[in-house]
Structures are given as structure tokens and as C-alpha cells.
Amino acid sequence: MKEKKKISVVIPMYFEEEVVNECYSRMNDVLNKLDKYEYEIIVVDDGSKDNTLSLLEELARKDNKLKILSFSRNFGHQAAVTAGLKYVSGDVILIIDADMQDPPEVLEEMLELWEQGNEVIYGKRKVRKGESKFKLLSAKMFYRTLNALSDVEIPVDTGDFRLVDRKVVDVINSLPEHNKFLRGLFSWVGYKQKAYEYERKERFAGKTKYPLKKMLKLASDGIISFSTKPLKMLGILGIVAIIISIVILIYALISYAFNLNQLTPGWTSIMVAITFFAGVQLVSIWVISEYIGRIYDETRRRPQYIIDKKINI
């Protein structure tokens, strides 16, 4: 008898007590209909302070296919997914959020694409319901900016929702970097990739766990992890600054020679030069400090997360 292939589902959760049961129920229903596959569900509780963990523990007591990792504190969405990927045992891995905006019911069609030889099937949102115009605009700007700066093309209108072959996950797990921007890394490693277009629904319940502050942090991680172009742009900015200062000098000399400037002699050129170069220096220091901070973070070699509790693992 041919051995069944196994699906591992990785679900990060943070303050998701309102969706725990719905997420588990829908995911379980989908997986139970896939007769030719075995499965496991790995939920990573990212330091929730509500009843998320206790509800998960109650479900895990009845179902040993539900495995739980619980962090000692909140380490972030990317850390939670990274931890889940370390513990998978399946031949193919589905990464999906708990809010049910990405419908688990499309798994069967994604598996068909995997069986055809595609090794990364990433969900591409053709419609995004229940999201503000600001969120849609900022997401659009983020991906276009990231692709403009990065040497690796990252598919637009995608998130972490994807089906990935085990060998690709093994490569991701082997990467030593601390701050992993996973959707970028899945593009960077290559392999045969395929987009799966779907309609993204509204959240089943609860609030988004990606407010503006976390969105900016994710954007910063993505740009710094996949691009050195901001550093190169500083050199260009420096050249532009030198050209502008030469233009100001020429203007000042002509004004002095022909008595064109009625302002206090030197005031315009000094003020423009001081404010312009101060701005260039401050921006340069900020960009460089982001890269130095990332290097410092990597050299400390602290773990990306700390697991406080394991259940059914």
C-alpha cells in the first residue's frame, strides 16, 4: 500500500480567542476531506495574554494532530511562522493566518498545483475585502517600492499565505539570519513558483494585528533584508548635494558681481547650504544606522523566539 503524503499546516496566533474555534473547525473540515493525505496542524501562540492558549490547549487534549508551540512573550508574526516551520514533519506545508481572511477551502486546488510539480504556490489576492483604502494603498506602495529597491522580484499583492514543498522549507530553515522576512526569502530561494489567485475575505472576528507601527517595521525588514540600494542612493544624494552647492556658489558670485541680490550678503547661500547638508547628513546617518543596527542584531546571536510550552510535540 502506498504511503500517504503528509500536509503540515502552520498557523500563527496572537490575541485570537474570538477565532480559535472557527479556525480549527474550518481547517480540520478541509483536511479531513483530503483522504489521500495525512495531516498535522501546528499553531504557534505568539505570547497572547487573552484566552487563546487555554482554548488551544482544550482542543489539543481532544486531538493529538493539533500541535501547539507557545512563546514566552510576543516575538512577532514572522518569528511565529519561522518557529512553526522548524517543527513541521509533512511533505508539503501550508502557511495560513488564523483570521480566516485567507480561505482554507482553497487548499485542495493549491495541492493540485503542487502535485503538478510546483514547489511554491503563493496566494495572490485579486480582491481584498474588509480593508481600508489606506491599508490597500500602503500595501500597494510597499510592494512596488520593495521591488524597485530589491535585486529579487517579490510578487505583489501577496502575503505569507502559501503552500510550500518540504525541500524549500528545509532551505528556509537552514538560513542563519535573525530577522527573517519570509515572503521575500521564499522568492529569493527560487524553485518552481506558481501564483494562485483568490478573493481575500473580511476577518471572521477580532482586529488586525498589523497596525501602522508593525506595517512600518515589516516594510523596514523587507527593504533592509533584500536591498543595499538605499546605501548606494546616499552616494548619489551626496553627488547631487555637491552639484547644488556649486550652483549656489555660482549664483552667489554672479549676484555679488552684478549686485543682483538685495538680501544680506551671504544669507541665502549660507541658509540653503546649512539646511540642505544638515538634512542630507541626518538622512544618511539614519539609513546607515538601520544597517548597522541589523548587523549588531545578527552578531548578538540571540534566538529569534523563546518557546515556553510545547503540546503534542
Side-chain angles (χ1 to χ4, degrees):
M1 184 177 177
K2 188 177 179 180
E3 187 177 348
K4 289 184 178 181
K5 292 179 180 178
K6 187 174 184 179
I7 305 167
S8 294
V9 180
V10 174
I11 308 175
M13 288 193 183
Y14 181 58
F15 282 85
E16 298 287 10
E17 62 180 5
E18 295 178 80
V19 303
V20 168
N21 289 316
E22 177 70 10
C23 174
Y24 170 76
S25 176
R26 282 179 61 181
M27 197 74 249
N28 219 31
D29 287 346
V30 169
L31 292 166
N32 281 322
K33 291 175 183 176
L34 301 172
D35 296 331
K36 65 177 184 177
Y37 297 97
E38 293 183 356
Y39 71 88
E40 65 179 358
I41 302 173
I42 300 177
V43 178
V44 184
D45 175 45
D46 188 18
S48 303
K49 300 300 182 184
D50 60 356
N51 292 320
T52 299
L53 182 58
S54 59
L55 290 170
L56 286 170
E57 288 175 329
E58 185 178 339
L59 291 170
R61 281 194 288 269
K62 304 171 185 176
D63 182 3
N64 60 11
K65 290 183 178 180
L66 175 61
K67 307 173 188 296
I68 301 168
L69 300 171
S70 177
F71 285 173
S72 61
R73 65 169 177 83
N74 176 239
F75 285 92
H77 181 272
Q78 298 293 286
V81 176
T82 299
L85 294 178
K86 291 282 187 182
Y87 284 85
V88 295
S89 60
D91 301 288
V92 63
I93 293 86
L94 176 71
I95 303 170
I96 187 171
D97 286 340
D99 55 22
M100 296 290 97
Q101 284 188 280
D102 304 318
E105 289 78 14
V106 302
L107 174 57
E108 187 171 4
E109 294 177 31
M110 296 176 80
L111 284 168
E112 288 176 5
L113 293 174
W114 175 64
E115 293 282 7
Q116 292 169 14
N118 298 291
E119 292 152 321
V120 178
I121 298 94
Y122 55 89
K124 185 172 183 179
R125 306 151 181 166
K126 58 183 179 181
V127 176
R128 299 177 65 158
K129 297 181 179 179
E131 295 185 351
S132 66
K133 290 182 179 179
F134 173 75
K135 180 71 179 287
L136 294 172
L137 178 62
S138 60
K140 186 176 182 179
M141 290 176 59
F142 164 65
Y143 283 108
R144 271 72 179 173
T145 302
L146 182 58
N147 275 329
L149 293 174
S150 178
D151 295 326
V152 178
E153 185 176 353
I154 300 172
V156 298
D157 301 322
T158 63
D160 290 310
F161 178 50
R162 62 193 63 219
L163 188 70
V164 190
D165 190 272
R166 177 57 187 260
K167 71 178 180 182
V168 181
V169 169
D170 288 341
V171 172
I172 295 293
N173 286 338
S174 71
L175 299 177
E177 58 202 80
H178 182 268
N179 293 293
K180 290 183 176 179
F181 180 62
L182 290 169
R183 64 195 71 172
L185 288 176
F186 279 118
S187 295
W188 179 83
V189 297
Y191 295 100
K192 190 174 181 182
Q193 308 216 3
K194 181 77 172 178
Y196 176 83
E197 293 192 349
Y198 70 103
E199 289 189 8
R200 197 170 201 232
K201 308 295 185 182
E202 297 181 20
R203 285 183 61 92
F204 172 75
K207 298 179 180 179
T208 178
K209 305 307 182 295
Y210 262 105
L212 181 59
K213 182 180 178 181
K214 288 192 175 182
M215 285 174 62
L216 292 174
K217 172 66 166 59
L218 184 66
S220 173
D221 286 344
I223 291 170
I224 293 173
S225 297
F226 285 89
S227 178
T228 57
K229 287 184 181 178
L231 292 174
K232 296 174 184 176
M233 289 168 65
L234 291 179
I236 297 171
L237 191 60
I239 293 171
V240 172
I242 292 171
I243 293 171
I244 291 174
S245 66
I246 292 172
V247 171
I248 292 173
L249 176 61
I250 293 171
Y251 169 73
L253 290 173
I254 293 173
S255 297
Y256 177 75
F258 295 97
N259 197 26
L260 300 175
N261 196 346
Q262 301 301 317
L263 296 173
T264 303
W267 184 89
T268 303
S269 57
I270 289 173
M271 290 305 296
V272 170
I274 288 175
T275 55
F276 182 80
F277 285 110
V280 170
Q281 289 171 348
L282 289 172
V283 170
S284 301
I285 291 170
W286 170 61
V287 173
I288 293 170
S289 68
E290 287 287 339
Y291 282 90
I292 293 174
R294 184 60 55 88
I295 294 169
Y296 175 62
D297 208 22
E298 295 288 343
T299 56
R300 287 185 299 182
R301 302 188 68 81
R302 291 179 183 172
Q304 190 178 0
Y305 52 82
I306 298 171
I307 297 174
D308 176 51
K309 187 182 292 186
K310 299 177 185 178
I311 300 171
N312 288 342
I313 294 179

